Amino acid sequence: MKTATESTGGEAGKPYTYHLILNTHWDREYRWSFRETQLRLMEAGDILLDSMERDPRFRYFHPDAQASFLEDYLELRPERRPLVESLVKEGRLMAGPWYTLPSEFVVSGESLVRNLLTGHRMAEALGGVMKVAYNIFSWGQVSQLPQIYRQFGMDTVLFYRGIDQSKLDRFEFWWEAPDGSRVLGHTFGAYHRLNFWIYVYNPYLKGIPSQGSIPSGGYDLDRIREHGGVMVRLADEHSAGDINHHILRQPCMRNLDLAVEGMEVLRDSLTAGASTSHLLCFQGFDQENPDPEITDLVDALNERLTDGRIKISSLSDYLEAMRAELKENGTKDRLLTMKGEMLSVESSDDAFAPLYIGTFSARMPLKLQNAACQYALERWAEPAQSWWSLLGKDYPAEPLRLAW
């Protein structure tokens, strides 16, 4: 990619705007059973809503494009639905567009469409859909995804698994489907959706430089105790090697100098590929609770930054600003056009985007059952019920929706 722009600002001397996306990613059933995961998610949701209600600086939050996060939370906390609906309607809490983030190559094309339909319906019922085509997993991207997204009214897709950034000259590109549908593609810099979390947030909390990698420990428990911190490691067998720590009370390192240094590394990793002065940063990790203190860190960093300002932002706001500047500086017309499916593995030194191709063949009994269900719904149940309805009979819409 192109070399980093000068640290005094973006192209044409513009100060950088660091769009910080506060987020968390929850697999519905991965390390733990669905219900145990849901109970842990309930705590994350409680912290999130309390923080957004109490602190207006906690402006936006992204549950990683999955409407299921809110569905699972509200099943256990139905009394908080009015607050969730209020935050979604205000555009602060992002709902959808997906129901869950799918592994695109192990389900049918119709299943992908129904997934988006379900996510849209659920988000609309809560107050509105985030119309940003964001999917950071999927173990690659199917070729017709631009066509599907276009039909859902989305014209920009953000992802990183399946594309080799070393083959690009910038983060932005055009992606064209077999039918000619085209969307603006956008990939990320080093460590992708974890970049602020790795380079800035962890050094700030731990008092230890990140060294540009995901922390695999390194917490100085004696220093944390000396500063009044309390940290608990999950004790179940599935969490023995987990890099996440459940923090009861934030450790008191709060090393702002290291956070500022981390911002410099983060900036250079982003300006190497960004075409505008708008830079995209992510704060959050898998199965991690939101941190109410992140707004204090942002304020403290903004007092120290000399090349721009951090803005707690939304993907929609970022894309609007980025696309406007792309048009303004003429870069939009010079972007590389890519076609077909995305199944390349990233080859750069700081790559963190494996495709885990083994997921295509793992747990085959479940995949066979899923394929049988899809076939029965797509080829038998829905066509038969459509003919049945043409004969004047009722169409069982709700049972079929539940089946999907």
Side-chain angles (χ1 to χ4, degrees):
M1 290 185 177
K2 61 188 177 69
T3 56
T5 49
E6 294 297 322
S7 62
T8 53
E11 296 187 8
K14 291 183 178 180
Y16 295 119
T17 300
Y18 296 92
H19 292 259
L20 182 60
I21 308 300
L22 307 183
N23 71 94
T24 187
H25 176 83
W26 283 79
D27 297 295
R28 299 186 86 187
E29 190 170 29
Y30 172 44
R31 296 176 185 270
W32 315 290
S33 68
F34 170 70
R35 289 303 182 190
E36 183 176 356
T37 304
Q38 187 182 26
L39 284 169
R40 295 171 186 265
L41 181 148
M42 181 180 70
E43 180 185 52
D46 286 344
I47 294 171
L48 170 63
L49 295 185
D50 291 344
S51 300
M52 298 189 79
E53 191 175 30
R54 180 179 60 250
D55 187 353
R57 297 173 301 165
F58 208 113
R59 179 63 182 163
Y60 298 107
F61 194 82
H62 290 254
D64 232 21
Q66 301 190 105
S68 59
F69 178 96
L70 299 178
E71 178 189 48
D72 294 344
Y73 175 75
L74 289 173
E75 184 180 12
L76 300 183
R77 290 282 197 240
E79 70 279 5
R80 305 205 78 174
R81 187 180 182 94
L83 177 56
V84 169
E85 290 180 349
S86 174
L87 291 170
V88 173
K89 288 176 182 176
E90 292 172 10
R92 296 182 61 194
L93 181 55
M94 307 300 151
W98 291 95
Y99 178 54
T100 60
L101 296 183
S103 295
E104 293 173 23
F105 286 91
V106 300
V107 298
S108 68
E110 183 65 24
S111 184
L112 294 177
V113 172
R114 299 305 180 97
N115 191 325
L116 279 165
L117 276 172
T118 301
H120 274 61
R121 287 170 179 157
M122 191 170 295
E124 286 169 354
L126 290 172
V129 186
M130 182 188 75
K131 298 296 270 187
V132 175
Y134 175 84
N135 187 348
I136 42 74
F137 282 104
S138 296
W139 321 126
Q141 316 291 325
V142 297
S143 62
Q144 287 183 297
L145 205 56
Q147 176 183 348
I148 295 172
Y149 279 142
R150 274 289 187 181
Q151 292 180 3
F152 277 89
M154 293 179 279
D155 60 7
T156 309
V157 54
L158 297 96
F159 69 96
Y160 60 86
R161 293 190 192 272
I163 191 166
D164 186 355
Q165 290 192 24
S166 67
K167 302 298 190 295
L168 300 175
D169 63 346
R170 61 187 77 234
F171 297 148
E172 306 87 4
F173 56 95
W174 293 109
W175 184 18
E176 189 174 302
D179 75 331
S181 300
R182 194 169 75 153
V183 294
L184 179 64
H186 191 297
T187 189
F188 308 104
Y191 299 104
H192 314 294
R193 65 184 177 90
L194 307 176
N195 55 6
F196 186 92
W197 187 88
I198 285 178
Y199 288 128
V200 182
Y201 177 73
N202 265 275
Y204 172 71
L205 285 187
K206 293 168 61 175
I208 301 172
S210 71
Q211 299 178 335
S213 63
I214 294 181
S216 57
Y219 285 93
D220 188 332
L221 298 182
D222 290 333
R223 290 180 65 201
I224 288 172
R225 282 191 289 268
E226 289 173 6
H227 288 78
V230 178
M231 182 176 289
V232 176
R233 184 186 275 278
L234 299 174
D236 63 282
E237 60 178 320
H238 301 296
S239 304
D242 197 346
I243 64 174
N244 293 316
H245 293 76
H246 184 88
I247 301 173
L248 295 182
R249 190 172 62 176
Q250 290 287 18
C252 299
M253 300 298 104
R254 296 188 180 85
N255 191 317
L256 188 59
D257 290 335
L258 287 179
V260 172
E261 291 177 13
M263 282 297 301
E264 295 175 359
V265 180
L266 174 61
R267 178 202 64 220
D268 291 344
S269 73
L270 292 171
T271 54
S275 298
T276 73
S277 61
H278 296 276
L279 307 179
L280 188 57
C281 316
F282 291 85
Q283 164 57 26
F285 196 77
D286 297 21
Q287 279 83 33
E288 184 171 87
N289 292 346
D291 184 356
E293 295 190 23
I294 192 66
T295 51
D296 292 333
L297 173 58
V298 169
D299 286 348
L301 284 170
N302 278 330
E303 292 180 1
R304 297 274 296 269
L305 293 181
T306 59
D307 60 356
R309 184 170 182 81
I310 303 170
K311 170 187 177 183
I312 294 178
S313 189
S314 69
L315 288 175
S316 300
D317 285 355
Y318 165 74
L319 291 178
E320 181 180 357
M322 182 271 293
R323 290 184 71 118
E325 193 168 317
L326 272 183
K327 184 177 181 180
E328 176 187 323
N329 63 26
T331 302
K332 193 173 180 180
D333 299 326
R334 302 194 303 269
L335 297 179
L336 176 70
T337 296
M338 305 186 72
K339 299 181 179 181
E341 62 188 19
M342 300 289 181
L343 278 173
S344 297
V345 177
E346 189 174 344
S347 59
S348 58
D349 293 337
D350 53 8
F352 183 63
L355 290 186
Y356 298 124
I357 299 299
T359 60
F360 296 169
S361 59
R363 301 188 182 278
M364 283 308 296
L366 291 177
K367 288 183 169 61
L368 290 171
Q369 291 178 55
N370 185 71
C373 288
Q374 289 175 157
Y375 188 85
L377 280 166
E378 295 171 17
R379 304 300 177 88
W380 290 98
E382 289 189 326
Q385 293 301 328
S386 295
W387 284 108
W388 187 241
S389 67
L390 289 175
L391 296 174
K393 307 299 183 179
D394 290 336
Y395 185 86
E398 186 61 16
L400 288 171
R401 185 191 68 79
L402 289 173
W404 274 107

